[in-house]
Amino acid sequence: TGDITYTNVMKLDSGRVYVFYRRGSSSDGDQYFIYSDDNGDTWSSEQQLTSWFSNTNPYQQFTTNGEEIHVSFSTSNGSKSVGSGGNDGRYDLYHVFYNGSCWKKFGSGCKSLPLSPSDTELVYDTPDNQYSWNWDTSLENGKPRMVFADKILSENHIYKQARWDGSSWSVET
């Protein structure tokens, strides 16, 4: 339709195939998905995964271990400006995962779709007057890890990683 970008295909050990994508403009879009249980012969109806802030620019990375799907987001919050006159917000980093039956954040119960920011974990609260940008997400020994660039408006990007240790997120350079 011209407004779908950043498609990601994930296949679970159950055989279910998911196609995730952002629907909307580059400055205002949310995540959606469809799935198939018969290798793509038929597809579910579209479901909205996120209902984020208005005027955001969400960018996501997906990974799976076959049983879970982990999603990391970098997305702006219009209430947090960058520099003088900035109005599109700074980019913070979030995480949520699908455990094979529902979407959730660590230590919580199942969340209803579409997910709002409070349904996900704020992994990195970007400092004022800076942007961070999500580069990749992976699983290491079953635990999510996110790699991202910080201070991307400067001449000296700083690459960082966020790791889930089983009880909390840690961020290191």
Side-chain angles (χ1 to χ4, degrees):
T1 63
D3 65 348
I4 294 176
T5 56
Y6 302 118
T7 56
N8 290 268
V9 179
M10 299 279 122
K11 186 172 185 178
L12 297 181
D13 293 342
S14 67
R16 180 171 278 184
V17 178
Y18 285 89
V19 178
F20 296 93
Y21 49 92
R22 183 178 75 186
R23 177 182 289 283
S25 69
S26 63
S27 63
D28 191 10
D30 279 301
Q31 296 298 310
Y32 290 80
F33 66 93
I34 56 174
Y35 64 86
S36 174
D37 289 321
D38 56 14
N39 285 322
D41 288 336
T42 60
W43 292 94
S44 70
S45 60
E46 179 180 72
Q47 295 184 45
Q48 187 174 357
L49 179 61
T50 62
S51 179
W52 226 250
F53 309 107
S54 62
N55 298 319
T56 63
N57 185 8
Y59 182 71
Q60 69 290 329
Q61 294 288 338
F62 292 80
T63 192
T64 185
N65 61 6
E67 296 176 7
E68 298 175 337
I69 297 172
H70 289 260
V71 187
S72 58
F73 300 95
S74 53
T75 188
S76 63
N77 175 339
S79 67
K80 300 175 181 177
S81 66
V82 176
S84 61
N87 60 7
D88 58 353
R90 64 181 194 213
Y91 290 83
D92 294 330
L93 295 152
Y94 299 85
H95 173 268
V96 69
F97 71 101
Y98 178 72
N99 69 359
S101 61
C102 69
W103 290 93
K104 58 192 303 181
K105 59 184 178 180
F106 292 116
S108 75
C110 295
K111 303 296 181 180
S112 298
L113 295 181
L115 302 171
S116 68
S118 64
D119 295 322
T120 67
E121 294 180 76
L122 176 62
V123 174
Y124 184 68
D125 188 11
T126 302
D128 288 335
N129 300 316
Q130 295 179 25
Y131 277 116
S132 295
W133 195 255
N134 186 21
W135 284 103
D136 201 5
T137 190
S138 65
L139 294 171
E140 181 179 358
N141 299 320
K143 297 176 182 157
R145 178 169 67 173
M146 299 164 56
V147 177
F148 62 98
D150 198 16
K151 299 184 180 180
I152 62 174
L153 293 182
S154 73
E155 294 179 15
N156 185 22
H157 292 21
I158 297 173
Y159 290 93
K160 295 182 177 182
Q161 64 179 335
R163 294 176 185 241
W164 177 255
D165 67 10
S167 60
S168 65
W169 288 95
S170 64
V171 175
E172 54 194 51
T173 303

